[in-house]
Amino acid sequence: MKEITAKIQETAARLLTEGRVDIFIGWQKGEFGYNTKPFFAHSPEEADKLVFDEYSIHNLSNALLKFRDGHQKIGIVVKGCDSRGIVRLLEDNQFKRERLYIVGVCCPGMKDPLKKMYQDSGFAVQVNGDAELADKCRYCIQPNPVIYDELIGEKREPRLPEDRFKEVKELETKSYDERYQFFEQVLSTCIRCYACRQACVACNCRTCIFDETRPQWVGRETSISDNMMYHLVRAFHMAGRCVECGECERVCPVGIPLMLINRKLIKDVGEFFGPYEAGMEYKEGAKPPLSVYREDDPDDFI
Amino acid sequence: MKVFKRAKLEKVLDKLSASYEVHVPMKRGAQSGFFDYRTYNADFDELVLDVLNVLKPPKEAVFPQTEKMYSFKQEGQDVIIDKVYENEDKRIVFGMRSCDLMAISCLDDVFLTRGYVDTFYKKRRDNTIFVANACYSPGRQCFCDSMGVNPVEPELADVVLREYNEGYVWEIKTEKGEEITALIADLLEEKDVNLPEPKGCTLKVDYEGVDKKLKGMFEHPMWERFSEPCQTCGICTYTCPTCHCFDIQVKAWGEEGYRFRCWDSCMYREYTQMAGGHNPRETAKERFRNRFLHKLEFFNERYGKPLCTGCGRCIFVCPSGVSIVKIIEEIKGA
Ligand code: SF4
Ligand code: SF4
Ligand code: SF4
Ligand code: SF4
Ligand code: SF4
């Protein structure tokens, strides 16, 4: 990790000095040692603050949305999953490739600083899963950046559990009532903070349907019907678009199993329209499934 | 001193629950918060009175996330309000920490003082009794004693619990406290016990003078820089025990419907979205600045205390590593 950090600092300093980029997005150390956080370097001097360590988990591609209307040139560090986020933005026409200088890092797998913070807080927050390896990394199908200008490190093998869709299949075998009950139970605890949406690179609509007030499509009560409506709509909007970066589930303060929903979508899109994995390569003009409109579509509605 | 043994805790809660809705700190699946003891299910839930605190703040007892206000009907030309939902259920919040009690005192300031009394809040508040739990070992992100809170002497408490090696001291503070003590009198015993030495917080910050200093810092470049990683997700405000912004919305079908209020957050775009499309807090910078100015400057100006009680929640829930302690230090150093 030390070498990676050194390379990133060197690249960032060079790009900032040469004026190739105006801002360089990476990570910096946090106050507690393990709470590494996003960092935006604006000058070559600030490049010294950049780090890459086992807690560099955030999908920084989401931060590009802040700059989508500007003209700044941006340098950004991406891991495998994050790079798929960049493809998402390019395919969705949210960013121009020319404005980016992408530094790819072949990812060794990350730990989740949020989990570590919870554990350390003394609060009664349940910490699910493996504290050593973040949940999202256990399912990683692409640790190596799929789009970059510069690559750091040796390519790595995907770290897939034997059956990536095991939990999804288990759920699929349940009866309609059991599934309804299951979703009712897990979604009833959603506090509708929309952090899952904010953390998501695929949630890049300028005005989100949940923020529309005239008309208001989805009610703002934390009731099971409004909660389900929120999650159903978001699921539909993620089908074929989710790049499996796991940020939504990671940031959810109440531990809603969002990746279970996302993996079901991934499985279905793969089976019905695939084989297809979102954001695995960028071809200019390529149209992913479910993002094309054709007048002669055999279905007359969505 | 009046004490009860740890083994009697569930009995105490059973007895109180016979006459009150008792909100206790629980771990419920992946969630932790204050939930009604009557819904306690040993298969899913865990009572966590002995751990430091829970993620969802107890403000929900007096200020629920979603609260029905009134329902209405249209009759001919008139609109009739047919029911006002003021909640007068008798309730105890059991095991609250000092930081969360001070937060209630902030909510009291907002909803009950300065010439306007919010009756929905008041009805709940008048019928709520607080059993506090003194903090002898603060956690890594607790900094309440820097924000004018005493972890072992909670404000507003009707009863204070003090944990010792075998159970809890039951210290009555008010008349309401006496009332509920009568309900569990047979479970209490008189005993002199040694209490642990209070440790105080390890995380410290110097808030002195920050409110005044902020007056001249509206345009300071720090807001731009510090808000850069912020995703405006709002988790920090939803888990904060003091945040109290809400929106009033309506659900209607045909000729009838109801109004309700629900938490809102200054971190959201929609919060300041105006009719006509203008938004004075368009980007993360403006929203982020508002959150800290409200907590550290405006609230203090109006009510004489900060709108942060140092509970530490926003520090460890922030997915982007934003820390209010760091922000205060930065303001100090600016
Ligand atoms: S839905 Fe979740 S996993 Fe998928 S792209 Fe968005 S944040 Fe990442
Ligand atoms: S982050 Fe979690 S609690 Fe917040 S809206 Fe998303 S699923 Fe609900
Ligand atoms: S902030 Fe203070 S009162 Fe609150 S839990 Fe920590 S030590 Fe206790
Ligand atoms: S929790 Fe962090 S990222 Fe989310 S709105 Fe608050 S400061 Fe911003
Ligand atoms: S601002 Fe943060 S530390 Fe302060 S009371 Fe709110 S959640 Fe707790």
Side-chain angles (χ1 to χ4, degrees), chain B residues 166-180:
Chain B
E166 289 181 330
Y168 298 91
V169 171
W170 178 269
E171 193 176 293
I172 306 155
K173 293 283 189 192
T174 65
E175 235 166 75
K176 280 181 174 175
E178 296 282 0
E179 269 169 46
I180 59 169

Side-chain angles (χ1 to χ4, degrees), chain B residues 61-246:
Chain B
V62 285
F63 178 51
Q65 178 161 12
T66 303
E67 181 174 32
K68 229 186 201 178
M69 301 171 85
Y70 60 85
S71 47
F72 56 83
K73 252 204 266 257
Q74 198 176 341
E75 276 175 18
Q77 296 283 38
D78 300 322
V79 176
I80 319 258
I81 293 188
D82 51 14
K83 189 162 182 213
V84 178
Y85 299 90
E86 283 169 348
N87 181 308
E88 294 182 89
D89 296 346
K90 286 164 67 185
R91 153 181 337 103
I92 298 172
V93 190
F94 195 95
M96 279 171 89
R97 298 298 188 177
S98 287
C99 50
D100 291 345
L101 272 154
M102 183 61 100
I104 299 286
S105 142
C106 296
L107 299 186
D108 284 354
D109 287 342
V110 173
F111 290 114
L112 303 175
T113 72
R114 300 300 176 103
Y116 182 77
V117 172
D118 181 304
T119 51
F120 297 97
Y121 180 86
K122 185 166 174 18
K123 288 276 159 63
R124 283 180 190 267
R125 179 68 177 81
D126 286 348
N127 288 293
T128 303
I129 294 175
F130 298 120
V131 177
N133 189 4
C135 269
Y136 288 87
S137 308
R140 184 92 188 259
Q141 287 111 0
C142 296
F143 59 103
C144 60
D145 59 8
S146 298
M147 302 309 285
V149 175
N150 183 338
V152 291
E153 292 301 337
E155 302 253 328
L156 300 184
D158 297 298
V159 174
V160 178
L161 295 175
R162 298 183 189 279
E163 197 178 355
Y164 71 103
N165 51 8
E166 289 181 330
Y168 298 91
V169 171
W170 178 269
E171 193 176 293
I172 306 155
K173 293 283 189 192
T174 65
E175 235 166 75
K176 280 181 174 175
E178 296 282 0
E179 269 169 46
I180 59 169
T181 306
L183 297 173
I184 55 159
D186 57 328
L187 297 171
L188 297 171
E189 45 188 299
E190 279 297 333
K191 193 172 175 188
D192 274 330
V193 300
N194 285 331
L195 287 169
E197 195 56 39
K199 286 208 190 92
C201 300
T202 46
L203 185 60
K204 301 270 179 207
V205 67
D206 182 9
Y207 175 66
E208 183 77 43
V210 165
D211 55 322
K212 305 244 158 42
K213 187 155 182 194
L214 277 171
K215 280 190 190 266
M217 289 180 67
F218 193 79
E219 298 292 352
H220 198 280
M222 72 173 278
W223 303 119
E224 180 87 51
R225 289 310 303 271
F226 281 87
S227 65
E228 278 176 332
C230 174
Q231 297 177 330
T232 62
C233 69
I235 305 182
C236 48
T237 58
Y238 273 26
T239 54
C240 177
T242 71
C243 280
H244 52 263
C245 287
F246 62 85

Side-chain angles (χ1 to χ4, degrees), chain A residues 59 62 81 85 88 136 195-203 234 238 241-251 258-259 262 265-266:
Chain A
N59 181 353
N62 171 281
C81 51
R88 170 85 288 117
K136 72 177 196 181
C196 44
R197 171 191 74 181
Q198 290 306 106
C200 177
V201 63
C203 279
R234 188 155 182 280
M238 286 306 117
R241 306 184 59 250
C242 166
V243 295
E244 223 180 342
C245 70
E247 282 294 90
C248 50
E249 185 173 284
R250 185 179 81 84
V251 303
L258 293 162
M259 290 311 286
N262 290 339
L265 301 172
I266 291 167

Side-chain angles (χ1 to χ4, degrees), chain B residues 313-331:
Chain B
R313 286 184 179 88
C314 61
I315 302 182
F316 69 80
V317 296
C318 176
S320 307
V322 172
S323 155
I324 187 166
V325 167
K326 193 96 204 327
I327 300 286
I328 296 176
E329 283 169 0
E330 208 60 37
I331 296 165

Side-chain angles (χ1 to χ4, degrees), chain A residues 197-269:
Chain A
R197 171 191 74 181
Q198 290 306 106
C200 177
V201 63
C203 279
N204 53 36
C205 294
R206 276 174 196 274
T207 306
C208 171
I209 180 170
F210 306 117
D211 291 342
E212 293 257 15
T213 48
R214 286 182 308 174
Q216 186 181 48
W217 300 98
V218 178
R220 273 284 289 275
E221 279 178 301
T222 34
S223 62
I224 188 64
S225 60
D226 285 359
N227 287 7
M228 281 210 178
M229 194 64 191
Y230 169 68
H231 285 281
L232 271 172
V233 173
R234 188 155 182 280
F236 272 104
H237 291 188
M238 286 306 117
R241 306 184 59 250
C242 166
V243 295
E244 223 180 342
C245 70
E247 282 294 90
C248 50
E249 185 173 284
R250 185 179 81 84
V251 303
C252 174
V254 295
I256 309 242
L258 293 162
M259 290 311 286
L260 184 64
I261 301 174
N262 290 339
R263 276 196 197 101
K264 165 71 176 158
L265 301 172
I266 291 167
K267 180 167 172 282
D268 281 0
V269 169

